[in-house]
Amino acid sequence: MTRYRLTVEYDGRPFMGWQRQAHGPSVQQAIEEAVKAITGEEATLHAAGRTDAGVHALAMTAHVDIAKPIGAFRLADGLNAKLRPRPVAILKAQEAAEDFHARFSCVGRRYCYRIVNRRAPLALEAGRAWRVPVTLDAEAMHEAAQCLVGRHDFTTFRSAHCQSESPVKTLDRLDVRRDGDAILFEVAARSFLHHQVRSMVGCLQLVGRGKWKAADLKAALEARDRHALGYNAPPDGLYFAAAIYPDDAPSPNSR
């Protein structure tokens, strides 16, 4: 039995999320079916995170155990062939140590969120960014965002369906910047609550609109109450950007 570490890119629009669902297609199911088509094995895929319906990934890390002898290069090519035409791609496959676990070995996760700040509708990025037609103040958003950095009780920014044992998380980074018509958010932490990033972005756009001040964002955080949430951003602009591990040195068998 060989453990393979996979780096996966996907467009979340056709899926109910990463995790297998009884009521619709998932990214996990698509890749597991591709593994079975290649190897004949019923394999279970484990991932660094569980993205919601409509959320995308630039580089999700996952692992799978396969008994059939197959090189990492051939595995990646075979999976990509079986995944077509679904918008899922195996960017890299490599053999991993037996004790590597995509979820439990992960020491950090990074997300990015993309707002397109313009009046015109999205022709090329529909479903892959959140269009906000009112001009946003990115500098005010970044300044306000810094009150969320650090260790806090993020109950206000937590979904009612969140399964985390504690609402207390340490946010390592929350940067907001403008690049032309785009407002870009870069967020990093060891782990996140369900809907945490989308909820923080939604409230920060209220700051950008001038409807909230930095003090309002801080008050919402300190309220520790979901009812204090100003807005929950849509999934369209959210991307799982990277999973961080203690030793990311590439394997000699990497693709």
Side-chain angles (χ1 to χ4, degrees):
M1 188 74 73
T2 302
R3 179 157 294 185
Y4 294 91
R5 173 175 166 176
L6 309 177
T7 304
V8 188
E9 175 186 88
Y10 55 86
D11 181 335
R13 288 177 292 177
F15 302 105
M16 299 302 296
W18 167 271
Q19 192 173 16
R20 270 187 177 269
Q21 305 284 336
H23 57 285
S26 69
V27 181
Q28 180 185 12
Q29 177 184 355
I31 300 175
E32 288 176 348
E33 289 176 351
V35 170
K36 184 176 181 180
I38 294 170
T39 66
E41 299 173 30
E42 296 279 357
T44 299
L45 205 66
H46 300 270
R50 298 177 180 178
T51 53
D52 290 336
V55 176
H56 320 293
L58 302 174
M60 174 65 77
T61 298
H63 83 260
V64 63
D65 294 331
I66 297 175
K68 180 179 180 178
I70 185 171
F73 185 92
R74 287 188 57 206
L75 176 62
D77 273 0
L79 291 176
N80 284 329
K82 296 299 182 182
L83 285 165
R84 297 189 189 102
R86 290 166 288 195
V88 181
I90 308 302
L91 302 181
K92 182 169 64 174
Q94 62 193 94
E95 292 185 15
E98 291 181 2
D99 61 351
F100 172 81
H101 196 286
R103 179 184 175 190
F104 298 120
S105 300
C106 186
V107 296
R109 294 162 176 85
R110 296 176 184 167
Y111 281 87
C112 61
Y113 195 100
R114 181 178 176 84
I115 289 177
V116 176
N117 193 201
R118 74 183 196 196
R119 287 187 60 81
L122 302 181
L124 300 178
E125 294 188 276
R128 292 186 292 180
W130 177 22
R131 181 181 70 92
V132 177
V134 178
T135 301
L136 299 175
D137 184 340
E139 291 186 6
M141 294 163 73
H142 175 77
E143 183 177 348
Q146 302 321 297
C147 78
L148 301 176
V149 175
R151 184 175 176 82
H152 304 287
D153 181 329
F154 283 98
T155 296
T156 300
F157 304 94
R158 177 188 193 182
S159 165
H161 304 292
C162 181
Q163 298 178 359
S164 179
E165 293 181 359
S166 171
V168 177
K169 295 291 180 183
T170 299
L171 190 65
D172 298 321
R173 179 184 179 193
L174 178 46
D175 293 337
V176 187
R177 63 184 176 89
R178 176 178 286 278
D179 182 8
D181 285 342
I183 305 284
L184 305 176
F185 299 76
E186 296 179 359
V187 194
R190 185 180 184 93
S191 62
F192 292 88
L193 300 168
H194 190 206
H195 281 189
Q196 183 180 346
V197 176
R198 288 171 54 191
S199 295
M200 294 188 300
V201 169
C203 289
L204 285 168
Q205 68 88 31
L206 293 177
V207 175
R209 285 173 177 258
K211 292 188 174 182
W212 273 24
K213 302 292 185 182
D216 297 311
L217 182 67
K218 186 176 181 181
L221 172 67
E222 294 175 347
R224 301 179 181 88
D225 183 352
R226 184 69 176 175
H227 293 97
L229 182 73
Y231 196 86
N232 195 41
D236 308 44
L238 184 58
Y239 296 76
F240 185 97
I244 311 302
Y245 297 91
D247 183 5
D248 278 326
S251 161
N253 294 323
S254 299
R255 179 175 177 176

